[in-house]
Amino acid sequence: MKDTRSNPETKKLAGVQAARLIQDGMLVGIGTGSTIAFLIKELGRRVREEGIRITGVPTSFQSRLSCNQLGIPVREMQDCAALDLALDGADEVDPDLNVIKGGGGSQTREKIVAAMAREFVVVVDESKLVATLGAAFPIPVEVLPSGLAYVERAIRDLGASPALRIATSGKDGPVVTDNGQFILDVRFPPGTDLRAADERMHRIPGVLETGLFLDLAGKVVVGGGSADGPAVRTLMRAK
Ligand code: 5RP
């Protein structure tokens, strides 16, 4: 489930800029998605041409394969408890730098990696900046398949509308995550207190993790542009 308003050029700007935050010797969480694909490409170039020595901790099979292809050394996330930095894309970012993630279905691994990092940086193009989370993009919720019907009912009881994410190519039926689970894309009515709703969803047996990343991002690198040309800016979370 991806946003079609995004622009590959501004994603690339943000991804390339964010790759510069990685310093020699770092253990770095590497997120998932098309913006992070640009970051991985630039990181591969830095490893080859600048000789920086880093180890990446990918959040998905997709990012792991890209790191392998580009010669970026990787470590399994299950072998890590702390990271110097984690970089990841997002589907929506609000003015407090709270974020919805999981358009690529990797939010559970992404949240673990973000939580274990000393600094979590979100990398987006400016189409992802919104006034209110969840007005346009639903909240992806990873669900144990055997709990699907119950979780759907419990989420409806919260006043929300869950929709099972269905694969659009290469597979019939539900999207199955890298963890072997399903995704429900959950829409709440306008004005819902999403922080409270998130706490309630976490209490439903069968819910593995949600795509609401609250109070996790320290900064957001935003690729955009104006009449003066392309530009990248960095938003910092208020202390
Ligand atoms: C994957 C994610 C992605 O980071 C998010 O969907 C943004 O992707 P893209 O950079 O392709 O727009 O959360 O689970």
Side-chain angles (χ1 to χ4, degrees):
M1 148 127 232
K2 287 285 181 180
D3 191 327
T4 48
R5 295 167 298 162
S6 295
N7 172 348
E9 284 308 314
T10 46
K11 286 183 172 190
K12 182 173 178 183
L13 270 181
V16 169
Q17 178 77 22
R20 298 190 184 132
L21 297 172
I22 300 169
Q23 291 166 16
D24 196 45
M26 278 185 165
L27 183 60
V28 189
I30 298 182
T32 302
S34 55
T35 312
I36 292 302
F38 289 116
L39 181 149
I40 295 173
K41 205 164 170 202
E42 172 65 5
L43 183 57
R45 186 200 65 73
R46 292 192 63 203
V47 167
R48 281 191 315 278
E49 295 177 14
E50 297 176 16
I52 61 163
R53 285 160 307 158
I54 63 103
T55 304
V57 179
T59 57
S60 63
F61 293 143
Q62 182 209 35
S63 296
R64 185 184 220 286
L65 288 172
S66 303
C67 287
N68 289 344
Q69 280 161 7
L70 291 164
I72 300 169
V74 294
R75 190 179 295 173
E76 290 291 339
M77 60 180 279
Q78 71 243 30
D79 298 328
C80 304
L83 304 175
D84 297 303
L85 175 68
L87 299 146
D88 207 343
D91 301 295
E92 287 191 343
V93 179
D94 81 3
D96 296 322
L97 310 194
N98 292 319
V99 163
I100 293 180
K101 290 186 46 54
S106 301
Q107 73 270 16
T108 302
R109 289 171 183 234
E110 291 171 336
K111 200 180 275 189
I112 296 168
V113 164
M116 71 167 95
R118 203 148 29 89
E119 184 178 24
F120 175 49
V121 178
V122 169
V123 189
V124 293
D125 68 283
E126 61 192 357
S127 73
K128 306 289 184 67
L129 303 182
V130 298
T132 310
L133 292 181
F137 201 88
I139 298 168
V141 178
E142 188 163 7
V143 174
L144 202 70
S146 51
L148 181 66
Y150 171 69
V151 172
E152 282 180 315
R153 192 193 98 194
I155 285 178
R156 277 202 195 90
D157 287 347
L158 297 179
S161 309
L164 182 62
R165 192 179 296 180
I166 301 296
T168 51
S169 77
K171 180 186 180 297
D172 294 328
V175 167
V176 178
T177 70
D178 289 5
N179 305 315
Q181 317 294 333
F182 291 166
I183 301 273
L184 289 174
D185 288 305
V186 178
R187 290 191 185 275
F188 284 90
T192 300
D193 176 349
L194 290 184
R195 194 176 286 270
D198 196 48
E199 278 171 20
R200 288 195 196 106
M201 286 196 288
H202 276 101
R203 287 203 289 266
I204 301 171
V207 166
L208 195 58
E209 192 46 85
T210 77
L212 266 178
F213 284 47
L214 305 175
D215 310 324
L216 275 170
K219 61 175 83 141
V220 179
V221 176
V222 186
S226 64
D228 297 334
V232 182
R233 64 200 155 110
T234 300
L235 311 177
M236 309 290 291
R237 182 144 65 99
K239 296 276 174 206

